[in-house]
Amino acid sequence: NAGVTQTPKFQVLKTGQSMTLQCAQDMNHEYMSWYRQDPGMGLRLIHYSVGAGITDQGEVPNGYNVSRSTTEDFPLRLLSAAPSQTSVYFCASSRDRSSYNSPLHFGNGTRLTVT
Amino acid sequence: GQQLNQSPQSMFIQEGEDVSMNCTSSSIFNTWLWYKQDPGEGPVLLIALYKAGELTSNGRLTAQFGITRKDSFLNISASIPSDVGIYFCAGQSLGSGGSNYKLTFGKGTLLTVNP
């Protein structure tokens, strides 16, 4: 059982480039989310989805787009990368949005550097 | 918005010592979660707490859901080198409408264990 799979593990971008961070889960979870982790800041929610076709903004959504065309996949797009987006990005999923008996499962992260 | 104050920020201990960390908030939560993040990996759930006053153990780990619902602590007994990592607390609250769950993470406690 793979759980939550993120690709790539590492990425270096130049300012202004675009890219998509991939996230897939094989647990049939309805809820999926993206977090960024920065030193001293903990985990901050970027975007989330409560099911296929439904997405919403989190705490720090600016500069990022998401879509949820299938239950399994939840890609995160950076349209024009900026140095401030240098971070470690985590995708997480759970059965539903409530943590009651359905806590978040995290992927292993994508380490992004924007120069 | 809601904030969690997690302390201490970091700890340096000797193998065999007990460890205690906690999270406090001015807001009420209906679920408390404790995660551990190993270097280079995503956070993994250690303990979930769903009821005020609940005390739950998982091996050498013990966590409690504060009776006021505004705090939680995690204890690790007889620490070993593989306990090294970042420990995060997370609190979930139920927003307006009965479905607007919000999960808030603490900023983490970095634990170093000297053999």
Side-chain angles (χ1 to χ4, degrees):
Chain A
N1 193 346
V4 179
T5 302
Q6 290 184 238
T7 56
K9 289 186 184 294
F10 302 94
Q11 182 70 51
V12 178
L13 292 177
K14 294 186 186 304
T15 297
Q17 286 185 316
S18 63
M19 80 159 293
T20 299
L21 281 63
Q22 302 292 344
C23 175
Q25 53 88 12
D26 61 359
M27 297 173 282
N28 202 31
H29 283 170
E30 290 295 324
Y31 181 79
M32 296 186 75
S33 55
W34 277 101
Y35 288 85
R36 60 177 289 172
Q37 183 178 28
D38 302 292
M41 301 295 289
L43 291 158
R44 292 183 293 170
L45 182 65
I46 304 172
H47 285 285
Y48 66 92
S49 168
V50 298
I54 306 169
T55 63
D56 207 344
Q57 295 181 348
E59 181 185 356
V60 287
N62 293 341
Y64 308 94
N65 282 351
V66 291
S67 60
R68 184 94 181 270
S69 56
T70 66
T71 298
E72 293 77 22
D73 300 298
F74 191 44
L76 179 72
R77 296 185 191 83
L78 283 71
L79 299 178
S80 178
S84 61
Q85 293 178 305
T86 293
S87 187
V88 181
Y89 292 85
F90 288 100
C91 179
S93 73
S94 62
R95 189 181 65 228
D96 53 49
R97 188 174 182 181
S98 167
S99 286
Y100 190 80
N101 285 331
S102 174
L104 282 177
H105 294 259
F106 285 84
N108 281 333
T110 293
R111 284 145 187 81
L112 176 68
T113 301
V114 183
T115 61
Chain B
Q2 294 170 318
Q3 287 190 336
L4 288 181
N5 300 310
Q6 185 171 351
S7 65
Q9 285 187 327
S10 62
M11 302 180 74
F12 297 86
I13 62 171
Q14 293 297 125
E15 183 177 359
E17 290 183 353
D18 297 343
V19 172
S20 183
M21 59 191 79
N22 69 85
C23 279
T24 61
S25 175
S26 57
S27 304
I28 289 174
F29 293 101
N30 55 20
T31 299
W32 282 96
L33 306 168
W34 285 92
Y35 285 85
K36 182 195 176 194
Q37 183 179 21
D38 289 327
E41 298 185 8
V44 174
L45 181 71
L46 296 173
I47 291 179
L49 302 159
Y50 300 113
K51 190 175 172 183
E54 180 181 357
L55 183 71
T56 296
S57 293
N58 179 7
R60 294 179 295 107
L61 278 60
T62 301
Q64 184 159 29
F65 192 142
I67 197 71
T68 66
R69 296 168 62 192
K70 295 181 180 180
D71 63 315
S72 177
F73 72 73
L74 174 71
N75 288 341
I76 305 172
S77 63
S79 59
I80 58 178
S82 62
D83 290 334
V84 163
I86 304 176
Y87 292 78
F88 290 99
C89 64
Q92 182 160 64
S93 57
L94 181 56
S96 60
S99 63
N100 189 26
Y101 298 96
K102 179 178 169 58
L103 188 64
T104 304
F105 281 87
K107 294 184 179 179
T109 295
L110 174 62
L111 178 64
T112 303
V113 180
N114 295 318

